[in-house]
Amino acid sequence: MPDSSLVELMSLTDGEQGVSVRIVEGMSFSGTGRYDTLRAEIVVGTGFVSGRVELYLNAYDLDRWAEVLEAAAAGGKATWLESGRSPRIMIVPMEENASGCTEVSVHDVTSSQVFVTVPLINQPDWEAHRQMLTVVRSRFQLER
């Protein structure tokens, strides 16, 4: 069951700067042969600021990510990980803000309270993100 290679769940980038979520490892505590949680990290990288924050994801979080992808693909604002137990990611499409960019914000509500927004000049490829989610779900089968 152990798999040591990083898998991307999200990669919102314009080639210069971006925000990604990478799965570091699956963790199993129940002995069922499935994972109970995924240890992951949010990585922010720009020419001005960069950082990383750890988080843990469960099956519900991945289901919610699928819903966020649908909302974002339809051109709406979307927020993921709103429970308060992990950092929060907000996506605002270019049509919804004055910058003319898709804006991706990360708010570390559980620790540092830092809030950072990364503007992306390119429209994200939401179909590619659906495929990333499919890869994560097939590689790391989560207990429900």
Side-chain angles (χ1 to χ4, degrees):
M1 185 181 335
D3 188 342
S4 61
S5 59
L6 292 175
V7 179
E8 283 197 330
L9 176 62
M10 180 183 87
S11 180
L12 296 170
T13 181
D14 63 9
E16 297 290 320
Q17 53 196 19
V19 177
S20 64
V21 175
R22 300 187 295 199
I23 307 301
V24 176
E25 67 177 333
M27 302 173 77
S28 181
F29 310 108
S30 61
T32 63
R34 290 181 174 255
Y35 294 104
D36 296 297
T37 190
L38 301 177
R39 186 167 69 91
E41 60 186 5
I42 300 172
V43 179
V44 176
T46 76
F48 178 67
V49 65
S50 61
R52 168 186 333 262
V53 63
E54 188 172 79
L55 72 151
Y56 292 86
L57 302 171
N58 57 35
Y60 170 80
D61 295 325
L62 295 186
D63 292 344
R64 182 67 184 114
W65 176 236
E67 293 170 9
V68 166
L69 286 174
E70 293 308 313
K77 293 180 185 179
T79 301
W80 185 44
L81 303 171
E82 297 176 271
S83 69
R85 65 173 174 75
S86 65
R88 182 175 304 139
I89 297 174
M90 285 92 31
I91 302 167
V92 179
M94 57 182 57
E95 299 81 20
E96 296 264 339
N97 61 62
S99 71
C101 298
T102 298
E103 294 179 349
V104 182
S105 300
V106 178
H107 184 187
D108 182 13
V109 296
T110 59
S111 182
S112 69
Q113 295 298 309
V114 169
F115 185 94
V116 63
T117 298
V118 178
L120 306 174
I121 58 172
N122 299 338
Q123 179 70 24
D125 180 351
W126 299 117
E127 183 56 38
H129 283 84
R130 288 184 192 102
Q131 292 171 7
M132 287 181 213
L133 175 58
T134 298
V135 168
V136 167
R137 283 182 162 163
S138 67
R139 185 179 271 176
F140 300 100
Q141 298 199 1
L142 286 164
E143 191 67 41
R144 290 197 176 263

